[in-house]
Structures are given as structure tokens and as C-alpha cells.
Amino acid sequence: KNQEDRVIAIASDMGSPGSQGAESDEEDVFIDPSEVIDEIEIPEGGGDDDDMEDDMTEDQEGEEDDEGEVSMQGPIQDDSVQNFTGHHDSVFCVAINPANPAICVTGGGDDRAFIWNVQTGQSLFELGGHSDSVACVGFSHDGVYVATGSLEGTVRIFNVSTGSLVAALEGPSEVPWLQWHARGHVLAAGSSDGTVWMWNVTPRSATCLHVFTGHSQPTTSAAYTPDGKLLVTGSDDASVRVWSPKDGSCVHTITGLQFHTGRVLSVATHGEQPILISGSEDQTAAVSNWNTGKPVGLLRGHQDSIESVGFCAGQPLAASGSLDSTLRIWDLNTLSLRSTCQHEGGVVKCLWHPTQPYLYSASLDGAVRVWDGRTAAPVRVFRGHRLPILDLALSPDGETIITASDDHRALVFSLT
């Protein structure tokens, strides 16, 4: 399962180190008696292996409470104002209702999704029906519908007010992303087979409009242009494609020597200019023109894959977050590095404030950081998670942050 494997790989933050300089099993090892520091008497029977194993597990992995939440030993700084604890596995995704920010949705590795009241922490509805991890969630522009995408290859659409199922959609294989149109009830979903599916949603059903074909490997991310006339998708095939939702045709395929050489993991479109930015496993970000389908320039400097990218509203700035534990801010006028913001773990998500030059980043160290994008000065640090953060959502006014984590929880942080 490519998407779930990737989430696990990211959460482990570079995996476990391999053995180095191991001696051959057949080589004898001798101890000089002069090197002995102390002698410990071992009782007959060698002790209780189970007890020793339990002690090591508790010391190294923390404890698990009655609700199945993994917790680290010792006090945890918790800056959150609310938390959601209904999941029994990693929470992979979170989204805030754009029409009613007091409502949010989460999806997790327990095959479930929930609609929550942000202010009270109450679960309003459980969105069931999936038989594999819920990897992506999203609200329609007006907050009427919410969609959930699963690694079993289905998309389910629910009425937000009632929690009732509107449509259960099949067609894709694993679904790594969902993207609602900014003006209509049109939903696009990616697939691990390289296709992109698009449906028109009505109060009682959903009709397939197009199946976009062209990517040769799984699609990983997507974004509409501000006018909604084009859809941009990134793929493991190291390309970005620009599609026409009107007729399902591929308008441009962006590849080449001045573009990525590895998997494209994230894409974002500019709010005013006809440009997009993409982040890749090859450690580069690329700025391209969606009207011409041509790369504008490569942004180099990261030392690991780029997981998240975005443009600043009102300033000629872009940002990229990487597993190299840095958030980098780029000057779009010169396509040069402006600032580097250091983290204590890989950066999995970065979002710009909707109207101001502030930047929010989520890290595998379990913290959320707020930065002034103009100066790269740190503004706030929010902590509370016991394990890595996997997703981040921001309210339309930029005052509320909600995070999804490997510790089975979603937390709410407030800037007010």
C-alpha cells in the first residue's frame, strides 16, 4: 500500500540505522581480565526474560493507556485548547470546514473518519463504511459536503449537517488525495494507478464526469487554479500535468531537464499569477507556468525530499518544507533562497496564512511553528503531540490550527 507505507516511512523519520562494522559470527572474541570493571551474579535460570523484555519495552516505547493511545514517559507540554481522541490508530488527515470553521473532519488508520465540533471536542458524526485507512478528507467550498478517500480505493461523500451518506464511489485504486472545486460541487480524486477521477455531486448521488489518464505512476497531489478552469496534478512519474476539467483533456505535461528527476510529492498554485510550485523526492522545488506548460526555474538547497510547498498571498514569496528538518522561503522575483527556518524533525506540511505573510509548519518532532515569512523570525511554537504530526489544517482567518498525529489524536491550537 504505497500511501500507507509512505506515511509510516515519514513517521519513522528516516528509519532505523543499519549495522556498521559488525564482527563475523565465526570470529572469537577474548576479554582481558584487566578490563573487567565489575562482576554481577546471575541467579540460576538466567532471570525472567519476559520481565526484562517488558521493562525494555516500557523504557524505550512509552506506555499505552486504557484508550490505546501511545504516550511518552514524563510530562508533555500541551499548548492545545482542544483535542479529539476518538481514533484508535494514527490520524492521517484533517480538514476544517471553510464555511463553518467550528467544524472539522479527521481520518485515520482505524478505517474511520469523524466530524468534530472544534470548540467542544465532541464527535458529531462517525463517517463509516471504509475497510482500509482513510488517507484524505475534505469539505466542499460551501461546507455542505465532506468527502473521505481510502486506501481500499473508494471515495465516500457525506452530508455535513446530518452525517448521512450521499454517495459511495468506486473506480480508483488507493486514493491518496481529494480536491474539491472552489466554486462548485465537483470533486477530484487521485489514484495509485495513475488516473484522476472527477465527479459532480448532487444531494442524492454523484456522477462521474471524467477519468483523466496520462500519468504512468501514482498521482500524489493536486491543486486547482484560482479560477477553477484547470487542475494541476503531481505524480510519482516525475511529471506535473495540467488538465481541463471541462473536457478531461491534458493541456500540458511538465517534464524535462530543467524539471524534477524524482517523484513529485506536492503541488500548489499561485493566487494571482499563472504559476505553480512543485516539491519532489529529488530534493528540489520547481516553479512552472501553467499557461505555457514550461518550467520557470528550479529551487535547490534541500538535503531531503520536499513534502509540502505553497505561495504567500500578497508577497513574492514561496515556501518548501522538507524531511531535512528545514522550511525554506524563496524569493519569486529572483528564484533564490531568502531564509531557512530550522526544525527539530522533518517538515511534513507548511501552510501560508490566507491573507498575511505568516507561515505555519508541522514537524515530525510533534510541534507546530509559526514564522514571519518576511524575516523568518519565529512567532510561536505549539506542542502537545507525543508522536509525529502527519497533517495540518488552518482556519480561513488563520487563527485556529488543527493537527493530525501518529499518537491517535488531533489537537486544536489557537493564536488568539
Side-chain angles (χ1 to χ4, degrees):
K1 300 174 181 177
N2 295 334
Q3 180 73 4
E4 190 165 25
D5 289 346
R6 175 159 184 77
V7 171
I8 294 171
I10 291 176
S12 67
D13 196 14
M14 304 302 292
S16 59
S19 59
Q20 297 181 0
E23 298 286 345
S24 169
D25 292 340
E26 298 179 359
E27 183 175 344
D28 294 332
V29 178
F30 298 95
I31 300 176
D32 190 328
S34 64
E35 296 177 348
V36 176
I37 298 175
D38 196 5
E39 295 183 6
I40 300 175
E41 182 177 349
I42 300 176
E44 294 186 7
D48 191 332
D49 290 341
D50 292 337
D51 290 343
M52 294 175 64
E53 188 172 313
D54 290 342
D55 290 342
M56 289 179 65
T57 301
E58 290 179 4
D59 290 342
Q60 295 176 0
E61 298 180 5
E63 299 178 348
E64 184 167 307
D65 64 17
D66 293 338
E67 296 180 2
E69 292 185 1
V70 179
S71 60
M72 301 301 292
Q73 290 184 330
I76 300 294
Q77 176 184 334
D78 190 353
D79 303 313
S80 66
V81 297
Q82 195 54 263
N83 66 89
F84 312 132
T85 58
H87 288 283
H88 301 299
D89 205 334
S90 299
V91 184
F92 290 148
C93 47
V94 60
I96 297 176
N97 189 329
N100 181 8
I103 303 295
C104 76
V105 62
T106 59
D110 54 6
D111 310 344
R112 300 188 297 170
F114 292 92
I115 295 178
W116 305 90
N117 183 307
V118 174
Q119 298 171 343
T120 67
Q122 178 186 3
S123 171
L124 302 179
F125 304 105
E126 179 178 343
L127 310 178
H130 289 296
S131 60
D132 206 338
S133 298
V134 178
C136 47
V137 292
F139 289 96
S140 60
H141 73 284
D142 55 5
V144 172
Y145 302 111
V146 64
T148 58
S150 170
L151 298 185
E152 91 232 338
T154 65
V155 174
R156 298 175 72 84
I157 300 173
F158 300 85
N159 182 294
V160 173
S161 298
T162 65
S164 59
L165 181 67
V166 174
L169 309 173
E170 298 182 355
S173 47
E174 297 175 2
V175 181
W177 59 265
L178 296 168
Q179 192 73 40
W180 285 95
H181 195 278
R183 299 179 183 178
H185 293 154
V186 175
L187 177 67
S191 174
S192 60
D193 64 5
T195 59
V196 176
W197 295 67
M198 182 172 285
W199 299 273
N200 181 56
V201 180
T202 62
R204 295 186 179 181
S205 64
T207 304
C208 183
L209 298 176
H210 304 292
V211 179
F212 304 93
T213 59
H215 283 299
S216 60
Q217 294 185 38
T219 58
T220 58
S221 53
Y224 280 101
T225 55
D227 58 9
K229 294 182 179 180
L230 297 172
L231 177 68
V232 174
T233 58
S235 169
D236 280 357
D237 64 10
S239 76
V240 167
R241 286 179 177 256
V242 182
W243 310 87
S244 168
K246 184 176 181 179
D247 58 15
S249 63
C250 180
V251 179
H252 298 294
T253 302
I254 306 176
T255 58
L257 296 177
Q258 299 302 314
F259 201 61
H260 299 300
T261 58
R263 300 163 58 201
V264 177
L265 304 178
S266 52
V267 296
T269 54
H270 198 281
E272 298 177 356
Q273 302 178 42
I275 56 175
L276 63 95
I277 185 172
S278 51
S280 172
E281 192 177 51
D282 68 6
Q283 307 175 11
T284 67
V287 177
S288 306
N289 187 304
W290 71 60
N291 279 338
T292 65
K294 302 294 183 182
V296 176
L298 275 178
L299 309 177
R300 304 179 186 273
H302 281 294
Q303 302 300 311
D304 208 330
S305 64
I306 297 176
E307 302 292 316
S308 186
V309 290
F311 290 109
C312 177
Q315 298 281 341
L317 302 173
S320 56
S322 169
L323 291 185
D324 66 6
S325 301
T326 67
L327 175 72
R328 293 177 182 255
I329 302 173
W330 307 89
D331 188 322
L332 291 176
N333 291 329
T334 61
L335 295 180
S336 61
L337 179 65
R338 180 163 174 155
S339 305
T340 300
C341 306
Q342 192 66 46
H343 296 66
E344 298 172 13
V347 179
V348 296
K349 190 74 173 283
C350 63
L351 294 172
W352 286 95
H353 188 285
T355 59
Q356 300 178 33
Y358 291 101
L359 191 56
Y360 307 72
S361 58
S363 172
L364 293 179
D365 63 14
V368 175
R369 292 172 172 82
V370 185
W371 311 84
D372 187 325
R374 297 161 296 188
T375 63
V379 177
R380 294 281 295 273
V381 179
F382 295 101
R383 301 184 186 275
H385 284 295
R386 302 179 179 95
L387 290 174
I389 296 174
L390 303 179
D391 198 12
L392 170 72
L394 185 64
S395 63
D397 63 3
E399 296 297 324
T400 301
I401 304 164
I402 306 181
T403 53
S405 170
D406 232 357
D407 66 8
H408 307 179
R409 300 182 301 157
L411 298 182
V412 182
F413 302 97
S414 176
L415 282 169
T416 57

